[in-house]
């Protein structure tokens, strides 16, 4: 039950694109197409942004996209906006548990 | 509207017990898997436990196995987390959350503080 690995921080300027990686193993990220991504603003509950690797829930901007290659999943945010500044977490379903990444703090410069 | 409202948090001494509750509304509770996820102050999200829709299957993080018990009452639309032998490192906001393959709704959380 090891946590998934994310970079601690990323940054970008308004209008730019950034990508956050999430690395697991063949037993979690690589073994299931059930990777999800969450956005969390300070003091708030997390919000689902991407599910099943690349699907966006209704109401989530199409500036958010997800992908996966092998044991690594990625979240890309294009056209960065000030309100995108938040913590982002990846998660993977497994048959015996649910794993989260350590979180990535996105700073919009 | 989906609502998940946690309660039962508070201050407890090391070695003590606490039971968290999560009242669900706005959806057919008995059809969904449910989770508890915690977040220590200033730290990241950590999955704690999950339970399937009819309560027949449960899973736990290694850090709480043998100390915490997840359960549900589908007639009352309520999820529970019984926490025993609490340690300082269990101090966190505990979120109730809905979903199987992914968590799609979260409660606002309840703070549990383990301290003497």
């Amino acid at each position: 039950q090891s946590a998934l690995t994310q970079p601690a921080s990323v940054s970008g300027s308004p209008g730019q694109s950034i990508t956050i990686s999430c690395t697991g193993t063949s037993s979690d990220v690589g073994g299931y197409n059930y990777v999800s991504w969450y956005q969390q603003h300070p003091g708030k509950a997390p919000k689902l942004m991407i599910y099943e690797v690349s699907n966006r829930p209704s109401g989530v901007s199409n500036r958010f996209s997800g992908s996966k290659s092998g044991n690594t999943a990625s979240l890309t945010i294009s056209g960065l906006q000030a309100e995108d500044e938040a913590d982002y977490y990846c998660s993977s379903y497994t048959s015996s548990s649910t794993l989260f990444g350590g979180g990535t703090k996105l700073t919009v410069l | 509207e989906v609502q998940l409202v946690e309660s039962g948090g508070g201050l407890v001494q090391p070695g003590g017990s606490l039971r968290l509750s999560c009242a669900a509304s706005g959806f057919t509770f008995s059809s969904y898997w449910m989770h508890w996820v915690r977040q220590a102050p200033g730290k990241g999200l950590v999955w704690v436990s999950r339970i399937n829709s009819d309560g027949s299957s449960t899973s736990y993080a290694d850090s709480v196995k043998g100390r915490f018990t997840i359960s549900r009452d589908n007639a009352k639309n309520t999820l529970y987390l019984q926490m025993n032998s609490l340690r300082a490192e269990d101090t966190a906001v505990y979120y109730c959350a809905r979903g199987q393959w992914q968590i799609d709704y979260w409660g606002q959380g309840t703070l549990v503080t383990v301290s003497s």
Side-chain angles (χ1 to χ4, degrees):
Chain A
Q1 290 184 354
S2 299
L4 307 175
T5 300
Q6 299 181 232
S9 63
V10 297
S11 63
S13 300
Q16 289 186 330
S17 295
I18 63 95
T19 297
I20 300 171
S21 62
C22 170
T23 302
T25 70
S26 57
S27 297
D28 39 69
V29 172
Y32 301 87
N33 285 324
Y34 294 125
V35 176
S36 50
W37 289 90
Y38 302 89
Q39 176 191 66
Q40 187 181 35
H41 287 108
K44 300 294 188 182
K47 175 187 175 184
L48 178 65
M49 304 303 285
I50 296 288
Y51 67 98
E52 293 174 12
V53 176
S54 60
N55 295 305
R56 274 189 314 276
S58 174
V60 172
S61 170
N62 60 9
R63 298 185 298 104
F64 291 82
S65 61
S67 63
K68 189 183 85 165
S69 177
N71 298 336
T72 298
S74 298
L75 172 71
T76 298
I77 309 174
S78 59
L80 270 179
Q81 299 180 0
E83 61 260 35
D84 298 332
E85 184 161 296
D87 294 324
Y88 291 84
Y89 296 89
C90 62
S91 177
S92 176
Y93 168 90
T94 80
S95 60
S96 59
S97 67
T98 297
L99 301 177
F100 283 96
T104 299
K105 181 176 181 57
L106 169 62
T107 301
V108 180
L109 302 170
Chain B
E1 178 194 6
V2 172
Q3 286 201 318
L4 299 169
V5 180
E6 303 93 338
S7 61
L11 175 64
V12 60
Q13 292 189 338
S17 297
L18 213 55
R19 188 175 87 154
L20 305 183
S21 299
C22 170
S25 61
F27 65 101
T28 305
F29 181 70
S30 60
S31 297
Y32 287 85
W33 289 32
M34 298 294 295
H35 302 252
W36 288 99
V37 178
R38 69 185 182 184
Q39 186 169 34
K43 302 297 185 181
L45 301 173
V46 176
W47 175 77
V48 173
S49 181
R50 73 185 187 203
I51 187 168
N52 69 348
S53 56
D54 66 5
S56 62
S57 177
T58 59
S59 298
Y60 298 91
D62 289 342
S63 59
V64 307
K65 203 170 293 184
R67 299 188 299 124
F68 290 11
T69 302
I70 190 171
S71 62
R72 64 191 298 160
D73 185 335
N74 285 345
K76 294 183 177 179
N77 291 343
T78 302
L79 176 73
Y80 302 100
L81 184 67
Q82 177 66 43
M83 303 186 295
N84 299 330
S85 303
L86 283 161
R87 307 165 180 167
E89 54 264 36
D90 295 319
T91 294
V93 172
Y94 284 74
Y95 292 101
C96 162
R98 184 188 89 163
Q100 181 173 353
W101 317 118
Q102 62 277 322
I103 290 172
D104 58 1
Y105 283 96
W106 301 69
Q108 287 304 305
T110 187
L111 177 62
V112 172
T113 303
V114 184
S115 174
S116 55

